[in-house]
């Protein structure tokens, strides 16, 4: 499985996820502005992968700045990177770590210190993904059919995957009979990326449109839902790809366990509930066009919220690298996710 | 608004709904086989419009047959037309009416008698649409935001529309502030057809993906859901476009009234419940490709059920041309829909 993010000598290499599965092309980026643009246009996507990419972007800002005056351009780069996408909190958590290193480092050691920290952010996400995959797999019963939404896989994270990592790990353990992937409109991360990863891993996979989840739950056995998260509030409310909330309501109606798999870097203890999570509104053209062909009639207002919020009462358990929280609430999340899960603002 | 189905002199003219909104092209069909193909490939779609088209298709079979031996080819044509699509019952109801005329007519009068009956099937659907639009509009409150799914509009019916007819009628009465249309994957009837009709009628319209319904219900006021139906079982269970069931579950969870608007020709009293409704499974390519561009990764099994079943307990009311049924059950539906709603088998 290719890497979504890699540091190579003096630059960042990103797998261009917009072109998958038709083309496996990489972008070599040498400035933090290029990294910011790549996050914005979703060359790289997935909450953990965004955080890692941004951390390397900060290193690039230091590398390309005048050696005698690195602080201002690096601070500016952090601000630009933080403004790329508003919902996934891993981005802010990674940038906070980089800012702390920036402020605590000697001038001569700055580039090396930032690169060390970015590599550590990366390694932490890899470690978290592996731990989450193992823990998540333990929730999946023998012979299971598991439904997932969007892509919380190897390419959404720095490696391993969260929700999809758990499904693949459980498959390797012989427990998964079938994975069901929603296509995930508008950008089709499910049809393009999740199916691509699952088929590569040999997992028997069924692709459905987002609108088929209810019918599948009514007419076939689905043992659990396993999704990722872009931000988790202190009370356990989960922001994830648009459509997640509807799946959670259907899961509740059908008695299907609904699991969220995400690193503690996704937990934002500064937000009391999901109501406070900013939901990114993306371009209308993502909805009105399909594969670059205009499909919708002209004239309507178009809504394109990229995420929605699933209230914690619909979440059976949250799987983090530090453990599984059943019926997650504020106290449990504070204990598990603090202090490294706390966003420093 | 253009007609979806028209009888012109000696042939059927269908609006090619696959090409909308990019192109308004008509197909002139002179044989029943052409009509059957047009129903199968969804040149014409929408339960009432399918029924009317099939009725005219039977006329074409009589017209093109040898004058001395019309019965066999017409019976054969009815069988072929009945096998085009399995879910919308209007098709079978219309064909039953044509078969009765076939069996009850003198040889010399057959073509004229079949054409009279087909025109009557057509007129009945027009009358039903108008009555449904008026009755449905009465359920929509002042200043309402109404959500609809798929297309139950002027072009899905022979004229006027059912669910969409009610929304447009309520808009003309000054009651509708906004209509929300789901895009309706895989064939995008919402984005292509419903938005096209609503914008033509001047209704303020918001287009969303199917996955956004839950988020919209959580974050904005939606006063009611109004959808059409392809078949209604005797107990009030409703088969409609895939995704309808999920919307009904979300509507229940949010206390939003869920209305189904459909002619009594859609009611199938021969089926005790929705479990017995055959759900058409369409081609995988509708899900994996768009505009002839492959979008999904290769290798998965693909499911493409065209409809789902919403249990009657989730239906606030069914609006028919003969009245509104609140909390519809078997007795009420038998009273309202029999005998013309009964499928003669």
């Amino acid at each position: 499985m290719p890497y979504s993010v890699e540091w190579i000598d003096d630059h960042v290499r990103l797998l261009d996820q917009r072109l998958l599965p038709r083309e496996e092309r990489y972008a070599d980026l040498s400035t933090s502005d290029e990294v910011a643009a790549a996050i914005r246009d979703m060359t790289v996507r997935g909450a953990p992968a965004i955080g890692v990419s941004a951390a390397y972007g900060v290193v690039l800002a230091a590398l390309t700045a005048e050696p005698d005056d690195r602080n201002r351009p690096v601070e500016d780069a952090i601000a630009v990177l933080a403004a790329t996408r508003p919902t996934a909190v891993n981005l802010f958590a990674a940038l906070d770590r980089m800012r702390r290193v920036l402020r605590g480092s000697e001038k001569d050691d700055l580039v090396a210190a930032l690169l060390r920290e970015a590599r550590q952010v990366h390694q932490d996400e890899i470690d978290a993904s592996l731990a989450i995959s193992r823990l998540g797999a333990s929730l999946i019963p023998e012979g299971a059919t598991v439904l997932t939404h969007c892509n919380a896989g190897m390419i959404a994270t720095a490696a391993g995957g969260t929700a999809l990592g758990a499904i693949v790990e459980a498959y390797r353990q012989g427990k998964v009979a079938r994975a069901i992937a929603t296509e995930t409109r508008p950008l089709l991360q499910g049809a393009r990326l999740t199916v691509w990863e699952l088929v590569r891993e040999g997992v028997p996979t069924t692709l459905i449109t987002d609108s088929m989840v209810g019918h599948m739950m009514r007419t076939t056995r689905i043992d659990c839902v396993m999704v990722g998260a872009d931000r988790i509030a202190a009370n356990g409310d989960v922001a994830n790809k648009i459509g997640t909330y509807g799946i959670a309501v259907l899961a509740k109606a059908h008695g299907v366990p609904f699991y969220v798999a995400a690193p503690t870097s996704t937990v934002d203890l500064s937000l009391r509930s999901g109501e406070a999570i900013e939901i990114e509104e993306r371009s209308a053209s993502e909805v009105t066009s399909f594969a670059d062909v205009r499909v919708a009639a002209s004239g309507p207002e178009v809504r394109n919220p990229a995420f929605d919020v699933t209230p914690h009462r619909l979440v059976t358990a949250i799987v983090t690298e530090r453990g599984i929280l059943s019926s997650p609430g504020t106290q449990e999340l504070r204990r598990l996710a603090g202090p490294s899960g706390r966003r420093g603002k």
Side-chain angles (χ1 to χ4, degrees), chain A:
Chain A
M1 189 61 62
Y3 292 114
S4 54
V5 190
E6 241 183 319
W7 179 262
I8 297 178
D9 301 333
D10 57 355
H11 68 276
V12 179
R13 176 166 291 176
L14 298 179
L15 173 62
D16 191 336
Q17 299 193 33
R18 300 168 306 170
L19 305 176
L20 289 174
R22 274 184 285 170
E23 200 179 330
E24 197 172 314
R25 194 198 293 172
Y26 293 82
D28 288 302
L29 311 181
S30 301
T31 71
S32 66
D33 281 344
E34 287 172 347
V35 173
I39 294 172
R40 218 178 284 119
D41 69 17
M42 296 177 69
T43 299
V44 62
R45 51 150 293 285
I50 288 173
V52 173
S53 302
Y56 287 131
V58 175
V59 179
L60 290 176
L63 261 181
T64 54
E66 289 297 321
D68 283 343
D69 182 26
R70 285 194 166 112
N71 279 45
R72 175 60 23 216
V74 175
E75 290 275 10
D76 288 351
I78 289 174
V80 169
L81 287 161
T84 48
R85 299 196 66 194
T87 305
V89 76
N90 315 52
L91 176 65
F92 309 114
L95 291 173
D96 285 344
R97 288 176 62 171
M98 299 304 286
R99 192 184 287 113
R100 279 197 292 275
V101 170
L102 170 67
R103 291 176 184 173
S105 298
E106 297 301 322
K107 198 170 72 174
D108 293 345
D109 186 46
L110 183 62
V111 172
L114 288 173
L115 182 55
R116 268 196 309 276
E117 186 66 8
R119 284 191 189 281
Q120 194 57 51
V121 167
H122 195 164
Q123 189 59 48
D124 289 349
E125 291 292 3
I126 292 172
D127 294 345
S129 286
L130 293 175
I132 288 167
S133 298
R134 273 194 306 270
L135 285 168
S138 74
L139 293 171
I140 296 175
E142 291 287 339
T145 295
V146 185
L147 186 142
T148 190
H149 183 57
C150 196
N151 176 272
M154 300 67 182
I155 54 176
T157 60
T162 53
L164 202 53
I167 295 170
V168 169
E169 175 60 28
Y171 171 73
R172 289 183 184 143
Q173 295 172 10
K175 296 201 294 183
V176 170
R178 181 160 292 276
I180 299 177
T182 58
E183 65 173 2
T184 317
R185 279 282 285 156
L187 293 180
L188 300 168
Q189 290 93 336
R192 295 190 300 108
L193 309 177
T194 299
V195 167
W196 182 68
E197 291 194 31
L198 285 168
V199 169
R200 272 173 98 120
E201 297 289 338
V203 183
T205 302
T206 299
L207 171 65
I208 60 172
T209 66
D210 304 313
S211 57
M212 292 172 194
V213 173
H215 180 72
M216 296 300 281
M217 287 189 180
R218 257 177 70 82
T219 58
T220 67
R221 204 193 70 193
I222 293 181
D223 295 278
C224 64
V225 174
M226 180 81 68
V227 296
D230 291 83
R231 197 182 309 201
I232 300 173
N235 70 341
D237 291 354
V238 173
N240 190 46
K241 178 55 54 193
I242 190 75
T244 302
Y245 169 59
I247 295 172
V249 170
L250 281 164
K252 189 74 161 187
H254 288 272
V256 175
F258 181 88
Y259 300 123
V260 174
T264 51
S265 59
T266 307
V267 180
D268 184 352
L269 293 174
S270 76
L271 300 183
R272 215 158 40 170
S273 84
E275 300 307 313
I277 298 175
E278 184 183 346
I279 300 297
E280 175 182 10
E281 185 87 20
R282 294 186 59 85
S283 156
S285 66
E286 294 180 355
V287 173
T288 55
S289 301
F290 208 104
D292 293 329
V293 178
R294 167 107 195 171
V295 289
S298 314
E301 176 199 61
V302 178
R303 287 295 311 277
N304 188 14
F307 307 95
D308 60 23
V309 172
T310 299
H312 60 93
R313 64 181 167 76
L314 298 177
V315 178
T316 310
I318 295 178
V319 184
T320 77
E321 76 279 16
R322 297 184 194 166
I324 298 170
L325 285 181
S326 296
S327 308
T330 304
Q331 277 200 318
E332 293 78 6
L333 274 167
R334 276 197 198 283
R335 188 172 42 73
L336 204 75
S340 76
R342 194 179 301 133
R343 186 172 160 199
K345 69 171 193 186

